[in-house]
């Protein structure tokens, strides 16, 4: 009888140890996407598939036409190790071999870079933001037709993916980049995307280079899983803009900081760590997702890599610029 008790005790211990081990290995191999599933918008927050707040910690590529070399699996894996859960693929529409200004070979090239980026991020269990990067074309309506056919194509292509977010107009600006025009554009493009994909989060840019979230909060779009972009560059944008962001979030607007830098708005100049820390505190307080600009070694201070760094993956701390060190050391 005694033997039997010892046997039962031993079996129980084995089961417990195996259970712990299984749990441990499951967490160790979990990826952002396997652990959180499809992201959604709930009130002013971005939440995971179980409704728990999820903080997007992303890195944006520079323009895909400028720096295609960073769209590679080892690069994304290196970022993931440093706490990055999202990759933003920035595809300019007009500047430098833009999608709408270049020829059809260029368009194909950009689409295959996006394809590569989506596949690699998916294999690593990371989220991807596909960014229609309007900039000099301040009014998104200018390329509405191209946007609709682009988003229809990629929404179809990645219909099975649960890790994709669509950012439909990076930074509207100028008189024609008004909320009225953005709404017209967004309603059309959202309808196109929703005809294929009912659930993915769609990020909509706001007037004045995605700063006027107050205007969006006063007259938001209809529909579910729609978030609004807010962008800042810490050396230029300060407390008045933090107040604007906070007021919009308090009013219930779901906001993603889908692009920010520590530099001046030009992408270059002084790196303001003090202001960046204030932005970070605010984003943490409201669990606001954030995506740092940009994964490149361009000789400008917003670039996350030092200009001397030639590596396209496997970076050491010393390969990062001042902005890169802050992003990976403090923000993530
Ligand atoms: C900048 C790049 C710079 C490039 C320029 C093109 O950093 O290398 O020459 O675009 O016009 C934004 C834009 C983003 C800008 C960035 C910095 O979304 O495209 O990138 N910025 O100026 N909004 C505010 C700042």
């Amino acid at each position: 009888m005694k033997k039997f008790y010892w046997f039962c005790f031993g079996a129980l211990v084995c089961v417990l140890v195996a259970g712990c081990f299984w749990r441990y290995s499951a967490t160790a191999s979990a990826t952002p996407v396997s652990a959180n599933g499809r992201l959604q918008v709930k009130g002013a927050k971005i939440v995971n598939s179980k409704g728990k707040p999820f903080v997007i910690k992303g890195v944006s590529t520079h323009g895909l036409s400028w720096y295609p070399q960073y769209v590679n699996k080892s690069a994304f894996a290196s970022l993931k190790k440093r706490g990055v859960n999202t990759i933003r693929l920035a595809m300019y529409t007009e500047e430098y071999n833009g999608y709408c200004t270049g020829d059809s070979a260029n368009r194909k090239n950009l689409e295959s870079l996006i394809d590569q980026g989506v596949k690699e991020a998916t294999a690593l269990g990371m989220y991807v933001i596909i960014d229609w990067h309007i900039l000099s074309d301040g009014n998104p309506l200018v390329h509405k037709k191209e946007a609709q056919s682009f988003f229809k194509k990629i929404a179809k292509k990645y219909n099975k993916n649960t890790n994709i977010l669509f950012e439909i107009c990076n930074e509207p600006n100028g008189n024609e980049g008004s909320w009225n025009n953005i709404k017209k554009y967004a309603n059309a493009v959202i309808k196109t995307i929703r005809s294929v994909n009912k659930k993915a989060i769609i990020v909509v840019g706001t007037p004045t280079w995605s700063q006027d979230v107050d205007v969006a909060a006063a007259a938001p779009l209809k529909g579910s899983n729609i978030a609004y972009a807010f962008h800042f560059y810490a050396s230029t944008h300060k407390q008045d803009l933090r107040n604007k962001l906070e007021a919009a979030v308090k009013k219930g607007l779901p906001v993603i900081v889908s692009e920010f830098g520590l530099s001046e708005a030009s992408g270059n100049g002084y790196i303001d760590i003090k202001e960046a820390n204030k932005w970070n505190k605010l984003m943490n307080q409201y669990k606001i997702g954030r995506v740092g600009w940009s994964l490149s070694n361009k000789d400008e201070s917003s670039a996350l890599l030092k200009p001397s760094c030639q590596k396209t993956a496997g970076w050491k701390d010393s390969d990062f610029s001042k902005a890169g060190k802050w992003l990976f050391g403090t923000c993530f």
Side-chain angles (χ1 to χ4, degrees):
M1 203 58 186
K2 219 174 181 184
K3 254 190 190 161
F4 176 70
Y5 283 127
W6 273 115
F7 173 77
C8 289
F9 180 68
L12 188 69
V13 169
C14 282
V15 167
L16 283 175
V17 169
C20 286
F21 183 73
W22 179 77
R23 258 203 89 102
Y24 170 77
S25 56
T27 2
S29 63
T31 66
V33 177
S34 73
N36 293 285
R38 190 194 284 281
L39 302 181
Q40 11 166 14
V41 174
K42 192 170 137 195
K45 291 215 160 51
I46 305 301
V47 299
N48 68 13
S49 59
K50 289 174 195 125
K52 294 236 166 71
F54 180 85
V55 181
I56 290 173
K57 293 182 176 172
V59 163
S60 179
T61 67
H62 192 283
L64 290 175
S65 294
W66 269 276
Y67 292 96
Q69 64 269 39
Y70 298 104
V71 181
N72 74 77
K73 196 166 176 187
S74 321
F76 293 1
S78 308
L79 294 173
K80 190 177 156 194
K81 269 192 205 146
R82 290 180 181 267
V84 174
N85 55 33
T86 304
I87 301 287
R88 178 183 190 237
L89 301 170
M91 186 183 75
Y92 281 81
T93 45
E94 287 204 341
E95 281 87 347
Y96 188 66
N97 290 331
Y99 188 81
C100 303
T101 50
D103 57 15
S104 65
N106 181 61
R107 267 200 297 282
K108 273 216 171 96
N109 186 38
L110 285 167
E111 282 171 11
S112 75
L113 277 167
I114 288 190
D115 203 33
Q116 200 183 328
V118 169
K119 278 192 184 131
E120 284 155 359
T122 305
L124 291 161
M126 299 170 88
Y127 294 96
V128 203
I129 300 176
I130 299 175
D131 162 40
W132 183 257
H133 203 86
I134 69 162
L135 191 57
S136 51
D137 40 344
N139 177 1
L141 286 170
V142 171
H143 295 300
K144 186 185 91 172
K145 279 217 169 79
E146 292 102 315
Q148 282 179 299
S149 62
F150 170 77
F151 281 111
K152 184 153 205 171
K153 201 188 245 183
I154 55 164
K156 270 190 183 156
K157 205 168 188 177
Y158 307 122
N159 203 12
K160 298 242 149 52
N161 285 56
T162 53
N163 62 331
I164 294 181
L165 293 82
F166 300 101
E167 184 170 5
I168 62 173
C169 50
N170 169 52
E171 291 186 354
N173 61 83
N175 286 340
E176 299 300 307
S178 61
W179 187 230
N180 249 344
N181 282 347
I182 300 169
K183 278 182 112 171
K184 274 188 207 149
Y185 167 84
N187 282 328
V189 176
I190 290 171
K191 199 170 164 198
T192 304
I193 296 174
R194 289 290 181 244
S195 71
V196 184
N197 184 321
K198 299 266 178 282
K199 289 184 185 160
I201 293 182
I202 298 174
V203 187
V204 181
T206 51
T208 321
W209 296 280
S210 286
Q211 290 165 25
D212 293 346
V213 280
D214 50 339
V215 177
L221 292 152
K222 292 198 174 74
S224 53
N225 291 318
I226 296 170
Y228 299 82
F230 180 86
H231 293 177
F232 71 84
Y233 280 75
S235 216
T236 303
H237 306 126
K238 306 193 171 174
Q239 194 57 45
D240 52 334
L241 276 185
R242 279 194 289 277
N243 293 343
K244 198 184 254 202
L245 172 60
E246 186 170 18
V249 172
K250 276 192 172 162
K251 210 168 170 183
L253 195 77
V255 174
I256 299 177
V257 174
S258 54
E259 186 189 301
F260 78 94
L262 275 64
S263 67
E264 293 162 19
S266 65
N268 209 350
Y270 183 62
I271 292 292
D272 199 330
I273 301 279
K274 223 174 133 188
E275 283 293 321
N277 285 334
K278 292 184 187 167
W279 279 109
N280 197 32
K281 199 172 156 203
L282 181 66
M283 293 190 291
N284 287 342
Q285 187 184 342
Y286 290 97
K287 296 191 162 61
I288 297 172
R290 70 295 299 259
V291 181
W293 179 265
S294 75
L295 181 61
S296 78
N297 67 347
K298 182 165 178 175
D299 194 3
E300 61 177 7
S301 59
S302 60
L304 299 173
L305 300 167
K306 283 181 180 161
S308 59
C309 174
Q310 297 301 320
K311 288 183 226 167
T312 55
W315 304 286
K316 294 202 185 95
D317 288 351
S318 57
D319 292 321
F320 295 121
S321 64
K322 207 169 173 188
K325 283 192 183 114
W326 183 87
L327 189 74
F328 300 117
T330 305
C331 191
F332 296 169

